[in-house]
Amino acid sequence: MIRNFNYRRASSIEEALSLLEKHKEDYKIICGGQSLLILMRQGLVAPENLIDIKSVEELDYIEYHPKSGLKIGAATTHRKIEKSPVIKKHFPVLAAMEKNLASIQTRNWGTIGGNLAHGDPAGDPAPILIASNATVRMASAEKERILPLEDFFVDIFETALEEGELLIEVQIPVLPQKTSLAYQKFNIIKNHQGIVSAAVSITMDEDGERCKGARIVLGAAAAIPLRAKQAERLFIGEKFDTKLLERVGKKASEECDPVSDIHATETYRRILVKTLTKRVAKKAWEQAKTSG
Ligand SMILES: Cc1cc2nc3c(=O)[nH]c(=O)nc-3n(C[C@H](O)[C@H](O)[C@H](O)COP(=O)(O)OP(=O)(O)OC[C@H]3O[C@@H](n4cnc5c(N)ncnc54)[C@H](O)[C@@H]3O)c2cc1C
């Protein structure tokens, strides 16, 4: 049962920040409620004040600029990202990921900001966004700051958001030349969260022969979305071959730190990490060779 709470609805960022400041001692932000309401119903979270930001139109936008890249307001729904022509054109992997995230009902109401702020290591957007070198903009009544998304996740269901802070925007820079990004999750039930997921970004040198940069980010393979940095390093300066892929997959499976739970054992997850990393990296590599 949900415990009684005071409901406050903000209609602007300014109003939201002042409500957060006023109720600093005991509040919870709610946007789409797709994650929070489950926790409240289970009695795991029982805030005195619930601050609703769903009507803050200033937080609902998708903007693209050829130099600065993509900016997505925190209250933008998954469905809007999935359907956005700009995202389909410039970050097709993001639109494709959204299409496989939850049901249409959840995508219609759940938001990108809520997904990231929830801090679930199995969330779909984080691995792709970290592989894209995304940053997040946060604000409180006192200050504003920007953080690489990679540093936003602190522990399971714990983020770098401080008391009184609101997640405002996700920023994705334009991908470097000859870069491609791929993502895949392994799930048993369609559109459910992945048992494990992997996002890989590969940047080729000018000739399209050797790898110049790589980012491998794993979902549900540790307490936070995890960059497999040792595996990434194996790619640098190398030409593509299947033995290299094998080594990279193996390293990623050693580097991750998965748990055993009702969905899969730790061992099974490590095997999945190896397979998915190889598969997704191969796809990113092949695409990067031919990309502009
Ligand atoms: C049936 C079901 C299936 C799902 N399947 C998937 C899936 O396949 N893949 C996946 O990635 N996710 C999945 N999800 C999770 C879903 O994506 C998230 O629940 C949703 O995106 C959260 O957004 P929200 O706006 O509803 O957040 P809320 O539930 O309103 O909030 C979630 C958390 O974020 C905080 N918060 C929200 N907005 C902000 C903000 N702007 N600034 C600071 N804190 C904020 C809240 O305080 C709360 O702690 C699923 C959820 C359900 C219910």
Side-chain angles (χ1 to χ4, degrees):
M1 206 174 78
I2 294 183
R3 220 183 64 185
N4 283 351
F5 53 83
N6 301 313
Y7 176 76
R8 327 266 173 196
R9 183 158 61 190
S11 52
S12 67
I13 294 178
E14 197 185 349
E15 191 183 0
L17 294 182
S18 106
L19 283 169
L20 294 182
E21 179 69 9
K22 193 169 163 200
H23 300 289
K24 236 178 187 174
E25 289 76 41
D26 193 350
Y27 74 85
K28 208 68 192 150
I29 297 168
I30 187 164
C31 196
Q34 298 299 298
S35 293
L36 185 67
L37 285 175
I38 296 172
L39 299 181
M40 287 176 69
R41 218 181 299 129
Q42 290 170 342
L44 295 170
V45 176
E48 180 91 16
N49 299 287
L50 199 61
I51 300 171
D52 188 347
I53 57 164
K54 189 72 177 168
S55 324
V56 180
E57 285 174 17
E58 294 165 85
L59 288 173
D60 179 7
Y61 57 87
I62 295 172
E63 288 170 9
Y64 179 78
H65 190 274
K67 283 209 170 110
S68 53
L70 189 64
K71 291 183 175 168
I72 307 177
T76 308
T77 63
H78 294 294
R79 186 73 166 156
K80 214 174 211 177
I81 298 170
E82 173 196 344
K83 291 285 174 192
S84 158
V86 160
I87 294 184
K88 279 187 186 168
K89 182 169 176 205
H90 298 285
F91 292 91
V93 68
L94 197 58
M97 173 278 292
E98 290 286 11
K99 200 173 175 186
N100 290 313
L101 183 153
S103 60
I104 289 186
Q105 290 88 336
T106 297
R107 297 205 293 279
N108 264 334
W109 214 243
T111 62
I112 189 77
N115 187 294
L116 298 175
H118 186 49
D120 186 340
D124 281 297
I128 293 185
L129 294 171
I130 295 172
S132 312
N133 203 11
T135 49
V136 280
R137 181 156 68 89
M138 296 166 278
S140 67
E142 283 133 34
K143 62 172 196 262
E144 201 176 289
R145 62 186 178 124
I146 292 176
L147 200 65
L149 184 60
E150 194 181 337
D151 300 332
F152 180 73
F153 299 100
V154 176
D155 206 339
I156 187 158
F157 299 114
E158 193 184 332
T159 69
L161 279 165
E162 290 168 4
E163 226 171 56
E165 245 181 351
L166 184 67
L167 182 57
I168 304 282
E169 178 180 270
V170 183
Q171 308 170 330
I172 312 172
V174 176
L175 291 180
Q177 293 268 301
K178 293 226 168 276
T179 298
S180 181
L181 198 64
Y183 175 72
Q184 194 181 339
K185 66 176 163 183
F186 177 87
N187 51 6
I188 292 168
I189 303 168
K190 192 172 182 289
N191 286 33
H192 268 214
Q193 283 188 320
I195 308 286
V196 156
S197 65
V200 179
S201 141
I202 296 282
T203 304
M204 303 298 290
D205 63 11
E206 271 181 27
D207 307 330
E209 286 282 313
R210 288 176 190 274
C211 180
K212 203 167 99 180
R215 278 178 170 244
I216 300 171
V217 190
L218 306 169
I224 56 170
L226 184 79
R227 257 186 89 182
K229 291 189 179 173
Q230 295 173 38
E232 290 173 2
R233 278 196 287 275
L234 295 177
F235 271 136
I236 307 303
E238 297 295 330
K239 282 188 176 179
F240 177 81
D241 72 39
T242 46
K243 278 193 188 141
L244 175 63
L245 269 190
E246 198 61 41
R247 283 199 293 134
V248 169
K250 184 166 177 288
K251 183 56 80 184
S253 77
E254 290 163 1
E255 227 179 321
C256 65
D257 187 17
V259 292
S260 293
D261 59 19
I262 53 163
H263 303 294
T265 61
E266 178 197 333
T267 310
Y268 185 48
R269 279 201 164 92
R270 285 192 193 275
I271 295 167
L272 286 175
V273 164
K274 185 176 173 191
T275 306
L276 272 193
T277 303
K278 284 194 293 183
R279 195 177 291 169
V280 177
K282 183 169 187 269
K283 188 172 176 195
W285 191 298
E286 282 165 355
Q287 289 171 177
K289 276 199 296 193
T290 52
S291 70

